[in-house]
Amino acid sequence: MEKLIITAALVGAEVTRQDTPYLPVTPEEIREAAAQSWEAGAAIAHIHVRDEAGRPSQRRDLYEATIREIRKRCPIIIQVSTGGAVGMTAEERLQPVSLRPEMATLTTGTVNFGEEVFMNPLAEIRRFAETMERSGVRPEFEVFDTGMLGTALRLVQEGWVTGHLHFDFVMGVPGGMPATARYLLLLIHQLPAGATWTVAAIGKHQLPMATLGITQGGHVRVGLEDNIYYRKGEWDTNAQLVARVKRLATELERDVATPEEARRLLGLKGK
Ligand code: KMH
Ligand code: ZN
């Protein structure tokens, strides 16, 4: 198997400081979380940013400041969110892509998201893909439900996305697909040859699905965006979650990729 790429989803848009005191929100805190996660074995930092009041934001200046801070401390691959928070406009969500980060997320469908709806109409998805392609930003397809894989492949067929294909299966969001082995196997068996995939799962599902990602030849995303507990009732940090995946991978005899090795696996040129 190729080396394991660990993504640290450091911040997210839904978790608050009231939920966990360990959530990084300022550029400096996100820098430290990224650096500690890199030291623990992460090759990619999936980032959202927060405004001065701690609210989810897609402001370009906040992403710029955060990326600058992270770059001071470590060579981790930076993947910006274009999902942002539910209810944001496409214009708002696309702002960080203009910074030309190495990667950005691309959600390929609309999905119920708890009591809300995460809207991603096809015309908007095409626009996001076209903007990333033009900016030299590698998309990571965010697949919250099974139909989104078909839409991602449609975008590829239509020529909106070229080059290496990388998917993130986000499992266990209320309204999205469940976090089960059966769903994961269904998805990975439909991937085109040469594509890579990672698995992210919400809350208590994170650890078992991460283990499946390691053993089934995929990659793994962990972090406070998806899960704030190390075990029931016990908070953790992003780095602790990453370190646990690295320990598991080592036990299962799978080496962990550095950012440079991950760049080669994902066909990234580096920035
Ligand atoms: N916050 C979710 C509505 C992404 O980062 O692109 C969307 C999300 C996906 O987190
Ligand atoms: Zn995200």
Side-chain angles (χ1 to χ4, degrees), residues 134-186:
R134 190 164 21 87
S135 313
V137 176
R138 166 86 60 229
E140 175 181 271
F141 293 112
E142 301 299 298
V143 174
F144 288 83
D145 211 348
T146 51
M148 292 190 195
L149 175 53
T151 303
L153 297 177
R154 177 175 173 177
L155 289 190
V156 176
Q157 222 168 30
E158 292 176 352
W160 299 102
V161 178
T162 62
H164 181 80
L165 303 178
H166 182 61
F167 296 82
D168 178 26
F169 301 126
V170 188
M171 314 188 83
V173 170
M177 61 191 163
T180 68
R182 279 188 183 205
Y183 270 89
L184 184 64
L185 294 175
L186 172 83

Side-chain angles (χ1 to χ4, degrees), residues 9 12-14 46-48 56 58 63 79-88 93 104-107 111 113 116-120 128 140 142 144 168 170 173 221 225-226:
E14 290 77 28
H46 166 71
I47 59 168
H48 291 241
Q58 287 291 103
Y63 272 99
Q79 178 193 86
V80 301
S81 170
T82 67
V86 168
M88 289 178 174
R93 286 167 53 184
T105 53
L106 176 60
T107 300
V111 65
F113 204 87
E116 301 177 293
V117 182
F118 182 29
M119 291 292 292
N120 293 286
F128 277 45
E140 175 181 271
E142 301 299 298
F144 288 83
D168 178 26
V170 188
V173 170
R221 169 173 130 172
E225 173 165 349
D226 304 329

Side-chain angles (χ1 to χ4, degrees), residues 54-90:
R55 289 177 304 231
S57 168
Q58 287 291 103
R59 265 169 44 199
R60 188 182 191 278
D61 63 314
L62 290 172
Y63 272 99
E64 192 172 25
T66 304
I67 292 169
R68 195 182 323 118
E69 287 299 322
I70 294 173
R71 280 285 157 266
K72 284 183 192 165
R73 288 274 273 116
C74 66
I76 200 164
I77 297 165
I78 297 174
Q79 178 193 86
V80 301
S81 170
T82 67
V86 168
M88 289 178 174
T89 65

Side-chain angles (χ1 to χ4, degrees), residues 190-256:
Q190 293 176 70
L191 289 176
T196 47
W197 60 275
T198 191
V199 61
I202 305 304
K204 66 180 182 193
H205 301 295
Q206 189 170 77
L207 183 58
M209 296 312 287
T211 312
L212 272 175
I214 298 168
T215 57
Q216 298 305 305
H219 302 281
V220 171
R221 169 173 130 172
V222 289
L224 299 187
E225 173 165 349
D226 304 329
N227 170 38
I228 60 172
Y229 297 113
Y230 191 83
R231 59 176 71 85
K232 198 170 182 202
E234 191 181 316
W235 280 320
D236 53 17
T237 63
N238 283 293
Q240 283 169 341
L241 291 169
V242 171
R244 176 162 63 176
V245 172
K246 185 169 178 179
R247 281 198 304 277
L248 272 173
T250 306
E251 285 294 324
L252 294 163
E253 300 194 345
R254 186 134 180 235
D255 292 335
V256 169

